[in-house]
PDB file of all heavy atoms in Angstrom:
ATOM      1  N   LYS R 214       0.182  -9.682  -2.522  1.00 98.00           N
ATOM      2  CA  LYS R 214       1.253 -10.404  -3.128  1.00 98.00           C
ATOM      3  C   LYS R 214       0.990 -10.555  -4.642  1.00 98.00           C
ATOM      4  O   LYS R 214      -0.184 -10.543  -5.040  1.00 98.00           O
ATOM      5  CB  LYS R 214       1.462 -11.799  -2.505  1.00 98.00           C
ATOM      6  CG  LYS R 214       0.203 -12.637  -2.565  1.00 98.00           C
ATOM      7  CD  LYS R 214       0.422 -13.983  -1.800  1.00 98.00           C
ATOM      8  CE  LYS R 214      -0.838 -14.785  -1.819  1.00 98.00           C
ATOM      9  NZ  LYS R 214      -0.661 -16.103  -1.097  1.00 98.00           N
ATOM     10  N   SER R 215       2.033 -10.619  -5.438  1.00 97.00           N
ATOM     11  CA  SER R 215       1.874 -10.737  -6.857  1.00 97.00           C
ATOM     12  C   SER R 215       3.135 -11.280  -7.480  1.00 97.00           C
ATOM     13  O   SER R 215       4.190 -11.253  -6.886  1.00 97.00           O
ATOM     14  CB  SER R 215       1.541  -9.380  -7.478  1.00 97.00           C
ATOM     15  OG  SER R 215       2.592  -8.432  -7.278  1.00 97.00           O
ATOM     16  N   GLY R 216       3.017 -11.756  -8.700  1.00 94.00           N
ATOM     17  CA  GLY R 216       4.207 -12.187  -9.404  1.00 94.00           C
ATOM     18  C   GLY R 216       4.123 -13.561  -9.972  1.00 94.00           C
ATOM     19  O   GLY R 216       3.590 -14.502  -9.367  1.00 94.00           O
ATOM     20  N   GLU R 217       4.601 -13.729 -11.187  1.00 87.00           N
ATOM     21  CA  GLU R 217       4.805 -14.981 -11.829  1.00 87.00           C
ATOM     22  C   GLU R 217       6.112 -15.020 -12.570  1.00 87.00           C
ATOM     23  O   GLU R 217       6.687 -13.954 -12.843  1.00 87.00           O
ATOM     24  CB  GLU R 217       3.666 -15.259 -12.871  1.00 87.00           C
ATOM     25  CG  GLU R 217       2.265 -15.477 -12.263  1.00 87.00           C
ATOM     26  CD  GLU R 217       1.204 -15.739 -13.329  1.00 87.00           C
ATOM     27  OE1 GLU R 217       1.569 -15.670 -14.530  1.00 87.00           O
ATOM     28  OE2 GLU R 217       0.105 -16.042 -12.984  1.00 87.00           O
ATOM     29  N   GLU R 218       6.637 -16.164 -12.800  1.00 84.00           N
ATOM     30  CA  GLU R 218       7.878 -16.334 -13.503  1.00 84.00           C
ATOM     31  C   GLU R 218       7.889 -15.596 -14.823  1.00 84.00           C
ATOM     32  O   GLU R 218       6.971 -15.748 -15.670  1.00 84.00           O
ATOM     33  CB  GLU R 218       8.217 -17.767 -13.734  1.00 84.00           C
ATOM     34  CG  GLU R 218       9.622 -18.038 -14.262  1.00 84.00           C
ATOM     35  CD  GLU R 218      10.730 -17.740 -13.265  1.00 84.00           C
ATOM     36  OE1 GLU R 218      10.483 -17.833 -12.071  1.00 84.00           O
ATOM     37  OE2 GLU R 218      11.864 -17.413 -13.699  1.00 84.00           O
ATOM     38  N   GLY R 219       8.904 -14.766 -15.070  1.00 85.00           N
ATOM     39  CA  GLY R 219       9.014 -14.065 -16.331  1.00 85.00           C
ATOM     40  C   GLY R 219       8.139 -12.814 -16.464  1.00 85.00           C
ATOM     41  O   GLY R 219       8.052 -12.216 -17.531  1.00 85.00           O
ATOM     42  N   MET R 220       7.496 -12.394 -15.346  1.00 88.00           N
ATOM     43  CA  MET R 220       6.608 -11.255 -15.444  1.00 88.00           C
ATOM     44  C   MET R 220       7.205 -10.114 -14.658  1.00 88.00           C
ATOM     45  O   MET R 220       7.935 -10.242 -13.647  1.00 88.00           O
ATOM     46  CB  MET R 220       5.220 -11.559 -14.843  1.00 88.00           C
ATOM     47  CG  MET R 220       4.438 -12.624 -15.655  1.00 88.00           C
ATOM     48  SD  MET R 220       4.184 -12.175 -17.349  1.00 88.00           S
ATOM     49  CE  MET R 220       3.226 -10.693 -17.140  1.00 88.00           C
ATOM     50  N   GLN R 221       6.939  -8.869 -15.122  1.00 92.00           N
ATOM     51  CA  GLN R 221       7.346  -7.618 -14.499  1.00 92.00           C
ATOM     52  C   GLN R 221       6.024  -6.800 -14.310  1.00 92.00           C
ATOM     53  O   GLN R 221       5.485  -6.331 -15.237  1.00 92.00           O
ATOM     54  CB  GLN R 221       8.389  -6.900 -15.252  1.00 92.00           C
ATOM     55  CG  GLN R 221       8.035  -6.205 -16.543  1.00 92.00           C
ATOM     56  CD  GLN R 221       7.779  -7.149 -17.722  1.00 92.00           C
ATOM     57  OE1 GLN R 221       7.358  -8.264 -17.563  1.00 92.00           O
ATOM     58  NE2 GLN R 221       8.048  -6.652 -18.887  1.00 92.00           N
ATOM     59  N   LEU R 222       5.567  -6.634 -13.061  1.00 97.00           N
ATOM     60  CA  LEU R 222       4.211  -6.093 -12.821  1.00 97.00           C
ATOM     61  C   LEU R 222       4.214  -4.730 -12.231  1.00 97.00           C
ATOM     62  O   LEU R 222       3.121  -4.098 -12.149  1.00 97.00           O
ATOM     63  CB  LEU R 222       3.422  -7.064 -11.941  1.00 97.00           C
ATOM     64  CG  LEU R 222       3.233  -8.487 -12.437  1.00 97.00           C
ATOM     65  CD1 LEU R 222       2.466  -9.312 -11.404  1.00 97.00           C
ATOM     66  CD2 LEU R 222       2.474  -8.479 -13.797  1.00 97.00           C
ATOM     67  N   THR R 223       5.345  -4.171 -11.773  1.00 97.00           N
ATOM     68  CA  THR R 223       5.395  -2.853 -11.237  1.00 97.00           C
ATOM     69  C   THR R 223       5.988  -1.900 -12.219  1.00 97.00           C
ATOM     70  O   THR R 223       6.286  -2.238 -13.341  1.00 97.00           O
ATOM     71  CB  THR R 223       6.268  -2.819  -9.929  1.00 97.00           C
ATOM     72  OG1 THR R 223       7.640  -2.991 -10.253  1.00 97.00           O
ATOM     73  CG2 THR R 223       5.831  -3.948  -8.985  1.00 97.00           C
ATOM     74  N   TRP R 224       6.208  -0.656 -11.828  1.00 97.00           N
ATOM     75  CA  TRP R 224       6.719   0.351 -12.746  1.00 97.00           C
ATOM     76  C   TRP R 224       8.180   0.076 -13.116  1.00 97.00           C
ATOM     77  O   TRP R 224       8.664   0.457 -14.186  1.00 97.00           O
ATOM     78  CB  TRP R 224       6.545   1.771 -12.236  1.00 97.00           C
ATOM     79  CG  TRP R 224       7.596   2.200 -11.233  1.00 97.00           C
ATOM     80  CD1 TRP R 224       7.581   1.930  -9.829  1.00 97.00           C
ATOM     81  CD2 TRP R 224       8.790   2.980 -11.440  1.00 97.00           C
ATOM     82  NE1 TRP R 224       8.716   2.449  -9.310  1.00 97.00           N
ATOM     83  CE2 TRP R 224       9.462   3.138 -10.212  1.00 97.00           C
ATOM     84  CE3 TRP R 224       9.380   3.480 -12.593  1.00 97.00           C
ATOM     85  CZ2 TRP R 224      10.651   3.804 -10.150  1.00 97.00           C
ATOM     86  CZ3 TRP R 224      10.551   4.212 -12.491  1.00 97.00           C
ATOM     87  CH2 TRP R 224      11.197   4.390 -11.217  1.00 97.00           C
ATOM     88  N   MET R 225       8.890  -0.720 -12.292  1.00 97.00           N
ATOM     89  CA  MET R 225      10.202  -1.167 -12.589  1.00 97.00           C
ATOM     90  C   MET R 225      10.110  -2.414 -13.499  1.00 97.00           C
ATOM     91  O   MET R 225      10.258  -3.499 -13.010  1.00 97.00           O
ATOM     92  CB  MET R 225      11.003  -1.412 -11.319  1.00 97.00           C
ATOM     93  CG  MET R 225      11.271  -0.129 -10.573  1.00 97.00           C
ATOM     94  SD  MET R 225      12.404  -0.404  -9.170  1.00 97.00           S
ATOM     95  CE  MET R 225      12.978   1.289  -8.873  1.00 97.00           C
ATOM     96  N   ASP R 226       9.819  -2.158 -14.749  1.00 94.00           N
ATOM     97  CA  ASP R 226       9.348  -3.272 -15.609  1.00 94.00           C
ATOM     98  C   ASP R 226      10.286  -3.535 -16.771  1.00 94.00           C
ATOM     99  O   ASP R 226       9.890  -4.150 -17.799  1.00 94.00           O
ATOM    100  CB  ASP R 226       7.932  -2.883 -16.213  1.00 94.00           C
ATOM    101  CG  ASP R 226       7.949  -1.595 -16.922  1.00 94.00           C
ATOM    102  OD1 ASP R 226       9.013  -0.934 -16.971  1.00 94.00           O
ATOM    103  OD2 ASP R 226       6.860  -1.123 -17.376  1.00 94.00           O
ATOM    104  N   ALA R 227      11.522  -3.176 -16.668  1.00 94.00           N
ATOM    105  CA  ALA R 227      12.511  -3.429 -17.758  1.00 94.00           C
ATOM    106  C   ALA R 227      12.668  -4.937 -18.016  1.00 94.00           C
ATOM    107  O   ALA R 227      12.868  -5.746 -17.107  1.00 94.00           O
ATOM    108  CB  ALA R 227      13.850  -2.830 -17.468  1.00 94.00           C
ATOM    109  N   LYS R 228      12.530  -5.318 -19.304  1.00 93.00           N
ATOM    110  CA  LYS R 228      12.632  -6.670 -19.728  1.00 93.00           C
ATOM    111  C   LYS R 228      13.223  -6.825 -21.114  1.00 93.00           C
ATOM    112  O   LYS R 228      12.876  -5.988 -21.975  1.00 93.00           O
ATOM    113  CB  LYS R 228      11.216  -7.356 -19.704  1.00 93.00           C
ATOM    114  CG  LYS R 228      11.240  -8.840 -20.058  1.00 93.00           C
ATOM    115  CD  LYS R 228       9.780  -9.342 -19.972  1.00 93.00           C
ATOM    116  CE  LYS R 228       9.764 -10.876 -20.389  1.00 93.00           C
ATOM    117  NZ  LYS R 228       8.423 -11.428 -20.276  1.00 93.00           N
ATOM    118  N   PHE R 229      14.135  -7.718 -21.258  1.00 93.00           N
ATOM    119  CA  PHE R 229      14.725  -7.914 -22.605  1.00 93.00           C
ATOM    120  C   PHE R 229      14.586  -9.449 -22.940  1.00 93.00           C
ATOM    121  O   PHE R 229      15.114 -10.272 -22.236  1.00 93.00           O
ATOM    122  CB  PHE R 229      16.210  -7.558 -22.640  1.00 93.00           C
ATOM    123  CG  PHE R 229      16.820  -7.750 -24.029  1.00 93.00           C
ATOM    124  CD1 PHE R 229      16.703  -6.705 -24.918  1.00 93.00           C
ATOM    125  CD2 PHE R 229      17.554  -8.869 -24.277  1.00 93.00           C
ATOM    126  CE1 PHE R 229      17.296  -6.869 -26.196  1.00 93.00           C
ATOM    127  CE2 PHE R 229      18.116  -9.027 -25.566  1.00 93.00           C
ATOM    128  CZ  PHE R 229      17.989  -7.995 -26.537  1.00 93.00           C
ATOM    129  N   GLU R 230      13.758  -9.681 -23.958  1.00 92.00           N
ATOM    130  CA  GLU R 230      13.383 -11.097 -24.294  1.00 92.00           C
ATOM    131  C   GLU R 230      12.867 -11.768 -22.997  1.00 92.00           C
ATOM    132  O   GLU R 230      11.810 -11.393 -22.487  1.00 92.00           O
ATOM    133  CB  GLU R 230      14.596 -11.796 -24.899  1.00 92.00           C
ATOM    134  CG  GLU R 230      15.012 -11.158 -26.265  1.00 92.00           C
ATOM    135  CD  GLU R 230      16.213 -11.773 -26.882  1.00 92.00           C
ATOM    136  OE1 GLU R 230      16.871 -12.602 -26.244  1.00 92.00           O
ATOM    137  OE2 GLU R 230      16.571 -11.441 -28.047  1.00 92.00           O
ATOM    138  N   ASP R 231      13.527 -12.774 -22.511  1.00 90.00           N
ATOM    139  CA  ASP R 231      13.009 -13.504 -21.315  1.00 90.00           C
ATOM    140  C   ASP R 231      13.690 -13.019 -20.043  1.00 90.00           C
ATOM    141  O   ASP R 231      13.308 -13.533 -18.963  1.00 90.00           O
ATOM    142  CB  ASP R 231      13.262 -15.014 -21.469  1.00 90.00           C
ATOM    143  CG  ASP R 231      12.465 -15.605 -22.589  1.00 90.00           C
ATOM    144  OD1 ASP R 231      11.361 -15.118 -22.866  1.00 90.00           O
ATOM    145  OD2 ASP R 231      12.996 -16.650 -23.147  1.00 90.00           O
ATOM    146  N   LYS R 232      14.504 -12.030 -20.117  1.00 93.00           N
ATOM    147  CA  LYS R 232      15.176 -11.495 -18.968  1.00 93.00           C
ATOM    148  C   LYS R 232      14.418 -10.326 -18.279  1.00 93.00           C
ATOM    149  O   LYS R 232      14.300  -9.305 -18.914  1.00 93.00           O
ATOM    150  CB  LYS R 232      16.610 -11.049 -19.331  1.00 93.00           C
ATOM    151  CG  LYS R 232      17.421 -10.400 -18.208  1.00 93.00           C
ATOM    152  CD  LYS R 232      17.795 -11.368 -17.064  1.00 93.00           C
ATOM    153  CE  LYS R 232      18.692 -10.724 -16.085  1.00 93.00           C
ATOM    154  NZ  LYS R 232      19.031 -11.653 -14.950  1.00 93.00           N
ATOM    155  N   VAL R 233      14.002 -10.561 -17.023  1.00 94.00           N
ATOM    156  CA  VAL R 233      13.328  -9.518 -16.294  1.00 94.00           C
ATOM    157  C   VAL R 233      14.359  -8.995 -15.320  1.00 94.00           C
ATOM    158  O   VAL R 233      14.888  -9.705 -14.417  1.00 94.00           O
ATOM    159  CB  VAL R 233      12.111 -10.045 -15.529  1.00 94.00           C
ATOM    160  CG1 VAL R 233      11.512  -8.966 -14.675  1.00 94.00           C
ATOM    161  CG2 VAL R 233      11.094 -10.621 -16.432  1.00 94.00           C
ATOM    162  N   PHE R 234      14.678  -7.694 -15.417  1.00 95.00           N
ATOM    163  CA  PHE R 234      15.833  -7.122 -14.671  1.00 95.00           C
ATOM    164  C   PHE R 234      15.451  -6.818 -13.213  1.00 95.00           C
ATOM    165  O   PHE R 234      16.287  -6.920 -12.330  1.00 95.00           O
ATOM    166  CB  PHE R 234      16.354  -5.886 -15.374  1.00 95.00           C
ATOM    167  CG  PHE R 234      17.018  -6.229 -16.744  1.00 95.00           C
ATOM    168  CD1 PHE R 234      16.336  -5.958 -17.891  1.00 95.00           C
ATOM    169  CD2 PHE R 234      18.274  -6.805 -16.743  1.00 95.00           C
ATOM    170  CE1 PHE R 234      16.912  -6.266 -19.112  1.00 95.00           C
ATOM    171  CE2 PHE R 234      18.866  -7.072 -17.979  1.00 95.00           C
ATOM    172  CZ  PHE R 234      18.166  -6.819 -19.180  1.00 95.00           C
ATOM    173  N   THR R 235      14.207  -6.412 -12.966  1.00 94.00           N
ATOM    174  CA  THR R 235      13.752  -6.114 -11.590  1.00 94.00           C
ATOM    175  C   THR R 235      12.372  -6.744 -11.430  1.00 94.00           C
ATOM    176  O   THR R 235      11.364  -6.005 -11.403  1.00 94.00           O
ATOM    177  CB  THR R 235      13.711  -4.598 -11.358  1.00 94.00           C
ATOM    178  OG1 THR R 235      13.051  -3.929 -12.480  1.00 94.00           O
ATOM    179  CG2 THR R 235      15.033  -4.001 -11.152  1.00 94.00           C
ATOM    180  N   PRO R 236      12.286  -8.049 -11.243  1.00 91.00           N
ATOM    181  CA  PRO R 236      10.976  -8.716 -11.208  1.00 91.00           C
ATOM    182  C   PRO R 236      10.162  -8.251 -10.018  1.00 91.00           C
ATOM    183  O   PRO R 236       8.919  -8.145 -10.097  1.00 91.00           O
ATOM    184  CB  PRO R 236      11.308 -10.222 -11.129  1.00 91.00           C
ATOM    185  CG  PRO R 236      12.738 -10.243 -10.638  1.00 91.00           C
ATOM    186  CD  PRO R 236      13.402  -9.007 -11.223  1.00 91.00           C
ATOM    187  N   ARG R 237      10.716  -8.125  -8.841  1.00 95.00           N
ATOM    188  CA  ARG R 237      10.128  -7.671  -7.607  1.00 95.00           C
ATOM    189  C   ARG R 237       8.830  -8.472  -7.282  1.00 95.00           C
ATOM    190  O   ARG R 237       7.866  -7.936  -6.777  1.00 95.00           O
ATOM    191  CB  ARG R 237       9.764  -6.149  -7.744  1.00 95.00           C
ATOM    192  CG  ARG R 237      10.972  -5.309  -8.026  1.00 95.00           C
ATOM    193  CD  ARG R 237      10.656  -3.816  -8.134  1.00 95.00           C
ATOM    194  NE  ARG R 237      10.412  -3.262  -6.831  1.00 95.00           N
ATOM    195  CZ  ARG R 237       9.364  -2.503  -6.490  1.00 95.00           C
ATOM    196  NH1 ARG R 237       8.447  -2.263  -7.380  1.00 95.00           N
ATOM    197  NH2 ARG R 237       9.169  -2.026  -5.293  1.00 95.00           N
ATOM    198  N   SER R 238       8.905  -9.767  -7.549  1.00 96.00           N
ATOM    199  CA  SER R 238       7.776 -10.659  -7.195  1.00 96.00           C
ATOM    200  C   SER R 238       7.644 -10.762  -5.698  1.00 96.00           C
ATOM    201  O   SER R 238       8.643 -10.777  -4.978  1.00 96.00           O
ATOM    202  CB  SER R 238       8.013 -12.059  -7.817  1.00 96.00           C
ATOM    203  OG  SER R 238       7.917 -12.019  -9.227  1.00 96.00           O
ATOM    204  N   GLY R 239       6.453 -10.825  -5.203  1.00 97.00           N
ATOM    205  CA  GLY R 239       6.209 -10.882  -3.770  1.00 97.00           C
ATOM    206  C   GLY R 239       5.335  -9.679  -3.355  1.00 97.00           C
ATOM    207  O   GLY R 239       4.209  -9.504  -3.848  1.00 97.00           O
ATOM    208  N   LYS R 240       5.861  -8.906  -2.391  1.00 98.00           N
ATOM    209  CA  LYS R 240       5.089  -7.786  -1.880  1.00 98.00           C
ATOM    210  C   LYS R 240       5.930  -6.478  -1.936  1.00 98.00           C
ATOM    211  O   LYS R 240       6.645  -6.143  -1.008  1.00 98.00           O
ATOM    212  CB  LYS R 240       4.692  -8.091  -0.420  1.00 98.00           C
ATOM    213  CG  LYS R 240       3.848  -9.316  -0.298  1.00 98.00           C
ATOM    214  CD  LYS R 240       3.649  -9.730   1.202  1.00 98.00           C
ATOM    215  CE  LYS R 240       2.779 -11.032   1.221  1.00 98.00           C
ATOM    216  NZ  LYS R 240       2.638 -11.532   2.649  1.00 98.00           N
ATOM    217  N   PRO R 241       5.863  -5.825  -3.077  1.00 98.00           N
ATOM    218  CA  PRO R 241       6.654  -4.540  -3.185  1.00 98.00           C
ATOM    219  C   PRO R 241       6.047  -3.475  -2.315  1.00 98.00           C
ATOM    220  O   PRO R 241       4.801  -3.320  -2.148  1.00 98.00           O
ATOM    221  CB  PRO R 241       6.467  -4.167  -4.716  1.00 98.00           C
ATOM    222  CG  PRO R 241       6.020  -5.455  -5.323  1.00 98.00           C
ATOM    223  CD  PRO R 241       5.215  -6.138  -4.317  1.00 98.00           C
ATOM    224  N   ILE R 242       6.868  -2.527  -1.763  1.00 98.00           N
ATOM    225  CA  ILE R 242       6.392  -1.597  -0.783  1.00 98.00           C
ATOM    226  C   ILE R 242       5.386  -0.579  -1.371  1.00 98.00           C
ATOM    227  O   ILE R 242       4.395  -0.239  -0.694  1.00 98.00           O
ATOM    228  CB  ILE R 242       7.639  -0.804  -0.166  1.00 98.00           C
ATOM    229  CG1 ILE R 242       7.095   0.202   0.863  1.00 98.00           C
ATOM    230  CG2 ILE R 242       8.478  -0.137  -1.245  1.00 98.00           C
ATOM    231  CD1 ILE R 242       6.289  -0.426   1.926  1.00 98.00           C
ATOM    232  N   GLU R 243       5.594  -0.039  -2.582  1.00 98.00           N
ATOM    233  CA  GLU R 243       4.647   0.912  -3.103  1.00 98.00           C
ATOM    234  C   GLU R 243       3.282   0.263  -3.393  1.00 98.00           C
ATOM    235  O   GLU R 243       2.254   0.983  -3.313  1.00 98.00           O
ATOM    236  CB  GLU R 243       5.131   1.635  -4.342  1.00 98.00           C
ATOM    237  CG  GLU R 243       5.044   0.882  -5.656  1.00 98.00           C
ATOM    238  CD  GLU R 243       6.204  -0.113  -5.873  1.00 98.00           C
ATOM    239  OE1 GLU R 243       6.933  -0.421  -4.902  1.00 98.00           O
ATOM    240  OE2 GLU R 243       6.316  -0.584  -7.064  1.00 98.00           O
ATOM    241  N   ILE R 244       3.263  -1.024  -3.641  1.00 98.00           N
ATOM    242  CA  ILE R 244       1.945  -1.700  -3.834  1.00 98.00           C
ATOM    243  C   ILE R 244       1.213  -1.770  -2.516  1.00 98.00           C
ATOM    244  O   ILE R 244       0.009  -1.605  -2.512  1.00 98.00           O
ATOM    245  CB  ILE R 244       2.164  -3.121  -4.412  1.00 98.00           C
ATOM    246  CG1 ILE R 244       2.958  -3.055  -5.688  1.00 98.00           C
ATOM    247  CG2 ILE R 244       0.846  -3.791  -4.613  1.00 98.00           C
ATOM    248  CD1 ILE R 244       2.372  -2.131  -6.825  1.00 98.00           C
ATOM    249  N   GLN R 245       1.944  -1.995  -1.425  1.00 98.00           N
ATOM    250  CA  GLN R 245       1.255  -1.988  -0.091  1.00 98.00           C
ATOM    251  C   GLN R 245       0.733  -0.587   0.237  1.00 98.00           C
ATOM    252  O   GLN R 245      -0.366  -0.486   0.808  1.00 98.00           O
ATOM    253  CB  GLN R 245       2.201  -2.579   0.961  1.00 98.00           C
ATOM    254  CG  GLN R 245       2.984  -3.778   0.574  1.00 98.00           C
ATOM    255  CD  GLN R 245       2.103  -4.820  -0.140  1.00 98.00           C
ATOM    256  OE1 GLN R 245       1.007  -5.098   0.304  1.00 98.00           O
ATOM    257  NE2 GLN R 245       2.640  -5.465  -1.222  1.00 98.00           N
ATOM    258  N   GLY R 246       1.472   0.435  -0.055  1.00 98.00           N
ATOM    259  CA  GLY R 246       1.031   1.797   0.163  1.00 98.00           C
ATOM    260  C   GLY R 246      -0.178   2.097  -0.620  1.00 98.00           C
ATOM    261  O   GLY R 246      -1.208   2.663  -0.143  1.00 98.00           O
ATOM    262  N   LEU R 247      -0.198   1.684  -1.922  1.00 98.00           N
ATOM    263  CA  LEU R 247      -1.369   1.884  -2.774  1.00 98.00           C
ATOM    264  C   LEU R 247      -2.545   1.040  -2.310  1.00 98.00           C
ATOM    265  O   LEU R 247      -3.701   1.527  -2.347  1.00 98.00           O
ATOM    266  CB  LEU R 247      -0.997   1.483  -4.224  1.00 98.00           C
ATOM    267  CG  LEU R 247      -0.120   2.509  -4.969  1.00 98.00           C
ATOM    268  CD1 LEU R 247       0.501   1.860  -6.227  1.00 98.00           C
ATOM    269  CD2 LEU R 247      -0.924   3.730  -5.405  1.00 98.00           C
ATOM    270  N   TRP R 248      -2.316  -0.142  -1.865  1.00 98.00           N
ATOM    271  CA  TRP R 248      -3.433  -1.005  -1.330  1.00 98.00           C
ATOM    272  C   TRP R 248      -4.034  -0.412  -0.123  1.00 98.00           C
ATOM    273  O   TRP R 248      -5.238  -0.386  -0.005  1.00 98.00           O
ATOM    274  CB  TRP R 248      -2.826  -2.386  -1.093  1.00 98.00           C
ATOM    275  CG  TRP R 248      -3.719  -3.401  -0.382  1.00 98.00           C
ATOM    276  CD1 TRP R 248      -3.477  -4.062   0.725  1.00 98.00           C
ATOM    277  CD2 TRP R 248      -4.962  -3.883  -0.926  1.00 98.00           C
ATOM    278  NE1 TRP R 248      -4.466  -4.957   1.055  1.00 98.00           N
ATOM    279  CE2 TRP R 248      -5.451  -4.838   0.032  1.00 98.00           C
ATOM    280  CE3 TRP R 248      -5.764  -3.631  -1.981  1.00 98.00           C
ATOM    281  CZ2 TRP R 248      -6.642  -5.516  -0.046  1.00 98.00           C
ATOM    282  CZ3 TRP R 248      -6.982  -4.274  -2.157  1.00 98.00           C
ATOM    283  CH2 TRP R 248      -7.418  -5.232  -1.169  1.00 98.00           C
ATOM    284  N   TYR R 249      -3.226   0.056   0.825  1.00 98.00           N
ATOM    285  CA  TYR R 249      -3.784   0.728   1.978  1.00 98.00           C
ATOM    286  C   TYR R 249      -4.590   1.904   1.604  1.00 98.00           C
ATOM    287  O   TYR R 249      -5.679   2.148   2.141  1.00 98.00           O
ATOM    288  CB  TYR R 249      -2.578   1.152   2.900  1.00 98.00           C
ATOM    289  CG  TYR R 249      -3.018   2.004   4.058  1.00 98.00           C
ATOM    290  CD1 TYR R 249      -3.784   1.429   5.103  1.00 98.00           C
ATOM    291  CD2 TYR R 249      -2.672   3.330   4.166  1.00 98.00           C
ATOM    292  CE1 TYR R 249      -4.193   2.211   6.169  1.00 98.00           C
ATOM    293  CE2 TYR R 249      -3.029   4.134   5.246  1.00 98.00           C
ATOM    294  CZ  TYR R 249      -3.813   3.605   6.247  1.00 98.00           C
ATOM    295  OH  TYR R 249      -4.238   4.347   7.329  1.00 98.00           O
TER     296      TYR R 249
END
């Protein structure tokens, strides 16, 4: 699991000022595949 308010941690990381368009906080699928 990962994520904090206002952060974009995966490759879908588009952000404008304080707006994160795809935050994907929690458990993204490709992260689980990479973790495995």
Side-chain angles (χ1 to χ4, degrees):
K214 58 184 178 180
S215 63
E217 291 182 356
E218 186 69 27
M220 296 301 300
Q221 72 285 32
L222 301 177
T223 71
W224 80 277
M225 291 188 163
D226 56 359
K228 181 178 181 180
F229 183 83
E230 296 179 351
D231 294 330
K232 175 66 174 179
V233 178
F234 294 102
T235 46
R237 305 181 73 229
S238 294
K240 299 170 182 176
I242 181 56
E243 80 277 16
I244 304 305
Q245 312 318 316
L247 285 163
W248 173 236
Y249 173 67

